[in-house]
PDB file of all heavy atoms in Angstrom:
ATOM      1  N   LEU A 801      44.912  -7.412 -55.078  1.00 88.00           N
ATOM      2  CA  LEU A 801      45.241  -7.401 -56.565  1.00 88.00           C
ATOM      3  C   LEU A 801      46.685  -6.961 -56.893  1.00 88.00           C
ATOM      4  O   LEU A 801      47.197  -6.010 -56.345  1.00 88.00           O
ATOM      5  CB  LEU A 801      44.133  -6.446 -57.208  1.00 88.00           C
ATOM      6  CG  LEU A 801      42.783  -6.817 -57.222  1.00 88.00           C
ATOM      7  CD1 LEU A 801      41.905  -5.702 -57.828  1.00 88.00           C
ATOM      8  CD2 LEU A 801      42.550  -8.189 -57.931  1.00 88.00           C
ATOM      9  N   GLY A 802      47.330  -7.861 -57.692  1.00 83.00           N
ATOM     10  CA  GLY A 802      48.654  -7.464 -58.093  1.00 83.00           C
ATOM     11  C   GLY A 802      49.765  -8.026 -57.061  1.00 83.00           C
ATOM     12  O   GLY A 802      50.917  -7.934 -57.335  1.00 83.00           O
ATOM     13  N   ARG A 803      49.302  -8.497 -55.944  1.00 87.00           N
ATOM     14  CA  ARG A 803      50.176  -8.947 -54.917  1.00 87.00           C
ATOM     15  C   ARG A 803      49.913 -10.394 -54.421  1.00 87.00           C
ATOM     16  O   ARG A 803      50.826 -11.138 -54.100  1.00 87.00           O
ATOM     17  CB  ARG A 803      50.107  -8.084 -53.665  1.00 87.00           C
ATOM     18  CG  ARG A 803      50.517  -6.649 -53.920  1.00 87.00           C
ATOM     19  CD  ARG A 803      50.436  -5.786 -52.626  1.00 87.00           C
ATOM     20  NE  ARG A 803      50.843  -4.423 -52.801  1.00 87.00           N
ATOM     21  CZ  ARG A 803      50.804  -3.531 -51.938  1.00 87.00           C
ATOM     22  NH1 ARG A 803      50.391  -3.777 -50.658  1.00 87.00           N
ATOM     23  NH2 ARG A 803      51.326  -2.216 -52.187  1.00 87.00           N
ATOM     24  N   ASP A 804      48.701 -10.748 -54.540  1.00 87.00           N
ATOM     25  CA  ASP A 804      48.221 -12.192 -54.197  1.00 87.00           C
ATOM     26  C   ASP A 804      47.546 -12.818 -55.398  1.00 87.00           C
ATOM     27  O   ASP A 804      46.486 -12.271 -55.757  1.00 87.00           O
ATOM     28  CB  ASP A 804      47.459 -12.046 -52.998  1.00 87.00           C
ATOM     29  CG  ASP A 804      47.129 -13.478 -52.370  1.00 87.00           C
ATOM     30  OD1 ASP A 804      46.732 -14.376 -53.179  1.00 87.00           O
ATOM     31  OD2 ASP A 804      47.101 -13.583 -51.107  1.00 87.00           O
ATOM     32  N   ASP A 805      48.132 -13.827 -55.905  1.00 87.00           N
ATOM     33  CA  ASP A 805      47.571 -14.468 -57.095  1.00 87.00           C
ATOM     34  C   ASP A 805      46.127 -15.063 -56.830  1.00 87.00           C
ATOM     35  O   ASP A 805      45.250 -15.076 -57.640  1.00 87.00           O
ATOM     36  CB  ASP A 805      48.389 -15.556 -57.658  1.00 87.00           C
ATOM     37  CG  ASP A 805      49.832 -14.911 -58.203  1.00 87.00           C
ATOM     38  OD1 ASP A 805      49.745 -13.737 -58.475  1.00 87.00           O
ATOM     39  OD2 ASP A 805      50.735 -15.733 -58.205  1.00 87.00           O
ATOM     40  N   THR A 806      46.006 -15.549 -55.592  1.00 88.00           N
ATOM     41  CA  THR A 806      44.735 -16.227 -55.209  1.00 88.00           C
ATOM     42  C   THR A 806      43.668 -15.231 -55.232  1.00 88.00           C
ATOM     43  O   THR A 806      42.522 -15.427 -55.751  1.00 88.00           O
ATOM     44  CB  THR A 806      44.909 -17.039 -53.897  1.00 88.00           C
ATOM     45  OG1 THR A 806      45.870 -18.025 -53.938  1.00 88.00           O
ATOM     46  CG2 THR A 806      43.438 -17.694 -53.569  1.00 88.00           C
ATOM     47  N   LEU A 807      43.905 -14.116 -54.539  1.00 88.00           N
ATOM     48  CA  LEU A 807      42.917 -13.041 -54.420  1.00 88.00           C
ATOM     49  C   LEU A 807      42.564 -12.449 -55.776  1.00 88.00           C
ATOM     50  O   LEU A 807      41.411 -12.051 -56.045  1.00 88.00           O
ATOM     51  CB  LEU A 807      43.268 -11.971 -53.406  1.00 88.00           C
ATOM     52  CG  LEU A 807      43.431 -12.324 -51.993  1.00 88.00           C
ATOM     53  CD1 LEU A 807      43.931 -11.285 -51.110  1.00 88.00           C
ATOM     54  CD2 LEU A 807      41.986 -12.771 -51.442  1.00 88.00           C
ATOM     55  N   THR A 808      43.628 -12.315 -56.595  1.00 89.00           N
ATOM     56  CA  THR A 808      43.463 -11.800 -57.962  1.00 89.00           C
ATOM     57  C   THR A 808      42.586 -12.674 -58.766  1.00 89.00           C
ATOM     58  O   THR A 808      41.659 -12.300 -59.476  1.00 89.00           O
ATOM     59  CB  THR A 808      44.706 -11.664 -58.650  1.00 89.00           C
ATOM     60  OG1 THR A 808      45.656 -10.756 -57.884  1.00 89.00           O
ATOM     61  CG2 THR A 808      44.552 -11.122 -60.098  1.00 89.00           C
ATOM     62  N   LEU A 809      42.717 -14.059 -58.568  1.00 89.00           N
ATOM     63  CA  LEU A 809      41.905 -15.069 -59.306  1.00 89.00           C
ATOM     64  C   LEU A 809      40.448 -15.014 -58.772  1.00 89.00           C
ATOM     65  O   LEU A 809      39.471 -14.991 -59.597  1.00 89.00           O
ATOM     66  CB  LEU A 809      42.491 -16.429 -59.198  1.00 89.00           C
ATOM     67  CG  LEU A 809      41.742 -17.529 -59.818  1.00 89.00           C
ATOM     68  CD1 LEU A 809      41.585 -17.336 -61.311  1.00 89.00           C
ATOM     69  CD2 LEU A 809      42.398 -18.959 -59.432  1.00 89.00           C
ATOM     70  N   LEU A 810      40.326 -14.855 -57.445  1.00 89.00           N
ATOM     71  CA  LEU A 810      38.940 -14.813 -56.924  1.00 89.00           C
ATOM     72  C   LEU A 810      38.253 -13.583 -57.427  1.00 89.00           C
ATOM     73  O   LEU A 810      37.041 -13.534 -57.725  1.00 89.00           O
ATOM     74  CB  LEU A 810      38.971 -14.848 -55.373  1.00 89.00           C
ATOM     75  CG  LEU A 810      39.340 -16.138 -54.793  1.00 89.00           C
ATOM     76  CD1 LEU A 810      39.574 -16.004 -53.240  1.00 89.00           C
ATOM     77  CD2 LEU A 810      38.381 -17.235 -55.089  1.00 89.00           C
ATOM     78  N   THR A 811      38.921 -12.460 -57.425  1.00 89.00           N
ATOM     79  CA  THR A 811      38.256 -11.187 -57.934  1.00 89.00           C
ATOM     80  C   THR A 811      37.801 -11.260 -59.319  1.00 89.00           C
ATOM     81  O   THR A 811      36.755 -10.906 -59.714  1.00 89.00           O
ATOM     82  CB  THR A 811      39.263 -10.034 -57.787  1.00 89.00           C
ATOM     83  OG1 THR A 811      39.738  -9.964 -56.398  1.00 89.00           O
ATOM     84  CG2 THR A 811      38.635  -8.721 -58.217  1.00 89.00           C
ATOM     85  N   ARG A 812      38.736 -11.938 -60.162  1.00 91.00           N
ATOM     86  CA  ARG A 812      38.349 -12.036 -61.537  1.00 91.00           C
ATOM     87  C   ARG A 812      37.156 -13.034 -61.766  1.00 91.00           C
ATOM     88  O   ARG A 812      36.208 -12.737 -62.526  1.00 91.00           O
ATOM     89  CB  ARG A 812      39.606 -12.763 -62.357  1.00 91.00           C
ATOM     90  CG  ARG A 812      39.419 -12.778 -63.890  1.00 91.00           C
ATOM     91  CD  ARG A 812      40.704 -13.453 -64.510  1.00 91.00           C
ATOM     92  NE  ARG A 812      41.867 -12.711 -64.207  1.00 91.00           N
ATOM     93  CZ  ARG A 812      42.291 -11.699 -64.929  1.00 91.00           C
ATOM     94  NH1 ARG A 812      41.577 -11.182 -65.912  1.00 91.00           N
ATOM     95  NH2 ARG A 812      43.418 -11.115 -64.513  1.00 91.00           N
ATOM     96  N   THR A 813      37.103 -14.061 -60.874  1.00 89.00           N
ATOM     97  CA  THR A 813      35.889 -14.948 -60.912  1.00 89.00           C
ATOM     98  C   THR A 813      34.630 -14.252 -60.563  1.00 89.00           C
ATOM     99  O   THR A 813      33.630 -14.423 -61.175  1.00 89.00           O
ATOM    100  CB  THR A 813      36.119 -16.169 -59.928  1.00 89.00           C
ATOM    101  OG1 THR A 813      37.341 -16.820 -60.314  1.00 89.00           O
ATOM    102  CG2 THR A 813      34.968 -17.059 -59.985  1.00 89.00           C
ATOM    103  N   ILE A 814      34.658 -13.322 -59.557  1.00 89.00           N
ATOM    104  CA  ILE A 814      33.569 -12.670 -59.047  1.00 89.00           C
ATOM    105  C   ILE A 814      33.027 -11.682 -60.228  1.00 89.00           C
ATOM    106  O   ILE A 814      31.871 -11.631 -60.491  1.00 89.00           O
ATOM    107  CB  ILE A 814      33.723 -11.927 -57.803  1.00 89.00           C
ATOM    108  CG1 ILE A 814      34.096 -12.862 -56.608  1.00 89.00           C
ATOM    109  CG2 ILE A 814      32.613 -10.903 -57.411  1.00 89.00           C
ATOM    110  CD1 ILE A 814      34.448 -12.149 -55.275  1.00 89.00           C
ATOM    111  N   VAL A 815      33.992 -11.054 -60.814  1.00 91.00           N
ATOM    112  CA  VAL A 815      33.612 -10.102 -61.941  1.00 91.00           C
ATOM    113  C   VAL A 815      32.905 -10.841 -63.011  1.00 91.00           C
ATOM    114  O   VAL A 815      32.019 -10.456 -63.593  1.00 91.00           O
ATOM    115  CB  VAL A 815      34.825  -9.311 -62.458  1.00 91.00           C
ATOM    116  CG1 VAL A 815      34.474  -8.552 -63.743  1.00 91.00           C
ATOM    117  CG2 VAL A 815      35.407  -8.412 -61.329  1.00 91.00           C
ATOM    118  N   ARG A 816      33.456 -12.036 -63.454  1.00 91.00           N
ATOM    119  CA  ARG A 816      32.916 -12.811 -64.476  1.00 91.00           C
ATOM    120  C   ARG A 816      31.588 -13.389 -64.139  1.00 91.00           C
ATOM    121  O   ARG A 816      30.647 -13.384 -64.995  1.00 91.00           O
ATOM    122  CB  ARG A 816      33.908 -13.937 -64.849  1.00 91.00           C
ATOM    123  CG  ARG A 816      33.424 -14.791 -66.114  1.00 91.00           C
ATOM    124  CD  ARG A 816      34.349 -16.022 -66.477  1.00 91.00           C
ATOM    125  NE  ARG A 816      35.702 -15.482 -66.678  1.00 91.00           N
ATOM    126  CZ  ARG A 816      36.703 -15.767 -66.000  1.00 91.00           C
ATOM    127  NH1 ARG A 816      36.690 -16.526 -64.892  1.00 91.00           N
ATOM    128  NH2 ARG A 816      37.893 -15.284 -66.317  1.00 91.00           N
ATOM    129  N   LEU A 817      31.444 -13.770 -62.901  1.00 87.00           N
ATOM    130  CA  LEU A 817      30.084 -14.198 -62.396  1.00 87.00           C
ATOM    131  C   LEU A 817      29.133 -13.128 -62.549  1.00 87.00           C
ATOM    132  O   LEU A 817      27.931 -13.363 -62.854  1.00 87.00           O
ATOM    133  CB  LEU A 817      30.196 -14.747 -60.880  1.00 87.00           C
ATOM    134  CG  LEU A 817      28.893 -15.197 -60.268  1.00 87.00           C
ATOM    135  CD1 LEU A 817      28.347 -16.377 -60.916  1.00 87.00           C
ATOM    136  CD2 LEU A 817      29.114 -15.522 -58.732  1.00 87.00           C
ATOM    137  N   GLY A 818      29.441 -11.942 -62.103  1.00 87.00           N
ATOM    138  CA  GLY A 818      28.485 -10.848 -62.213  1.00 87.00           C
ATOM    139  C   GLY A 818      28.068 -10.476 -63.610  1.00 87.00           C
ATOM    140  O   GLY A 818      26.855 -10.335 -63.825  1.00 87.00           O
ATOM    141  N   HIS A 819      29.033 -10.612 -64.524  1.00 88.00           N
ATOM    142  CA  HIS A 819      28.727 -10.412 -65.914  1.00 88.00           C
ATOM    143  C   HIS A 819      27.810 -11.427 -66.486  1.00 88.00           C
ATOM    144  O   HIS A 819      26.813 -11.110 -67.158  1.00 88.00           O
ATOM    145  CB  HIS A 819      29.982 -10.280 -66.783  1.00 88.00           C
ATOM    146  CG  HIS A 819      30.778  -9.082 -66.590  1.00 88.00           C
ATOM    147  ND1 HIS A 819      32.123  -8.986 -66.978  1.00 88.00           N
ATOM    148  CD2 HIS A 819      30.445  -7.881 -65.945  1.00 88.00           C
ATOM    149  CE1 HIS A 819      32.484  -7.741 -66.656  1.00 88.00           C
ATOM    150  NE2 HIS A 819      31.599  -7.121 -66.015  1.00 88.00           N
ATOM    151  N   ASP A 820      28.107 -12.699 -66.102  1.00 85.00           N
ATOM    152  CA  ASP A 820      27.196 -13.815 -66.572  1.00 85.00           C
ATOM    153  C   ASP A 820      25.752 -13.741 -66.036  1.00 85.00           C
ATOM    154  O   ASP A 820      24.824 -14.168 -66.757  1.00 85.00           O
ATOM    155  CB  ASP A 820      27.868 -15.079 -66.215  1.00 85.00           C
ATOM    156  CG  ASP A 820      29.184 -15.409 -66.832  1.00 85.00           C
ATOM    157  OD1 ASP A 820      29.431 -14.754 -67.897  1.00 85.00           O
ATOM    158  OD2 ASP A 820      29.947 -16.302 -66.324  1.00 85.00           O
ATOM    159  N   LEU A 821      25.636 -13.114 -64.782  1.00 84.00           N
ATOM    160  CA  LEU A 821      24.214 -12.995 -64.206  1.00 84.00           C
ATOM    161  C   LEU A 821      23.592 -11.715 -64.629  1.00 84.00           C
ATOM    162  O   LEU A 821      22.509 -11.392 -64.202  1.00 84.00           O
ATOM    163  CB  LEU A 821      24.387 -13.148 -62.694  1.00 84.00           C
ATOM    164  CG  LEU A 821      24.850 -14.452 -62.113  1.00 84.00           C
ATOM    165  CD1 LEU A 821      24.944 -14.457 -60.637  1.00 84.00           C
ATOM    166  CD2 LEU A 821      23.759 -15.620 -62.565  1.00 84.00           C
ATOM    167  N   GLY A 822      24.296 -10.925 -65.336  1.00 86.00           N
ATOM    168  CA  GLY A 822      23.806  -9.578 -65.816  1.00 86.00           C
ATOM    169  C   GLY A 822      23.737  -8.589 -64.656  1.00 86.00           C
ATOM    170  O   GLY A 822      22.888  -7.635 -64.622  1.00 86.00           O
ATOM    171  N   LEU A 823      24.649  -8.593 -63.703  1.00 88.00           N
ATOM    172  CA  LEU A 823      24.710  -7.732 -62.568  1.00 88.00           C
ATOM    173  C   LEU A 823      25.786  -6.711 -62.801  1.00 88.00           C
ATOM    174  O   LEU A 823      26.716  -6.923 -63.411  1.00 88.00           O
ATOM    175  CB  LEU A 823      24.940  -8.527 -61.266  1.00 88.00           C
ATOM    176  CG  LEU A 823      23.895  -9.593 -61.015  1.00 88.00           C
ATOM    177  CD1 LEU A 823      24.356 -10.374 -59.732  1.00 88.00           C
ATOM    178  CD2 LEU A 823      22.510  -9.087 -60.924  1.00 88.00           C
ATOM    179  N   ILE A 824      25.524  -5.550 -62.181  1.00 91.00           N
ATOM    180  CA  ILE A 824      26.535  -4.498 -62.054  1.00 91.00           C
ATOM    181  C   ILE A 824      27.561  -4.861 -60.950  1.00 91.00           C
ATOM    182  O   ILE A 824      27.158  -5.181 -59.948  1.00 91.00           O
ATOM    183  CB  ILE A 824      25.909  -3.077 -61.818  1.00 91.00           C
ATOM    184  CG1 ILE A 824      24.899  -2.663 -62.924  1.00 91.00           C
ATOM    185  CG2 ILE A 824      27.012  -1.991 -61.577  1.00 91.00           C
ATOM    186  CD1 ILE A 824      24.152  -1.489 -62.533  1.00 91.00           C
ATOM    187  N   VAL A 825      28.837  -4.884 -61.351  1.00 91.00           N
ATOM    188  CA  VAL A 825      29.931  -5.183 -60.344  1.00 91.00           C
ATOM    189  C   VAL A 825      30.630  -3.959 -59.937  1.00 91.00           C
ATOM    190  O   VAL A 825      31.034  -3.169 -60.833  1.00 91.00           O
ATOM    191  CB  VAL A 825      30.821  -6.305 -60.990  1.00 91.00           C
ATOM    192  CG1 VAL A 825      31.918  -6.597 -59.862  1.00 91.00           C
ATOM    193  CG2 VAL A 825      30.058  -7.504 -61.349  1.00 91.00           C
TER     194      VAL A 825
END
Side-chain angles (χ1 to χ4, degrees):
L801 293 179
R803 296 180 178 179
D804 189 315
D805 293 341
T806 302
L807 291 176
T808 302
L809 178 59
L810 289 174
T811 303
R812 188 182 301 275
T813 303
I814 294 173
V815 172
R816 185 180 300 116
L817 175 64
H819 288 167
D820 293 342
L821 295 175
L823 304 178
I824 300 174
V825 180

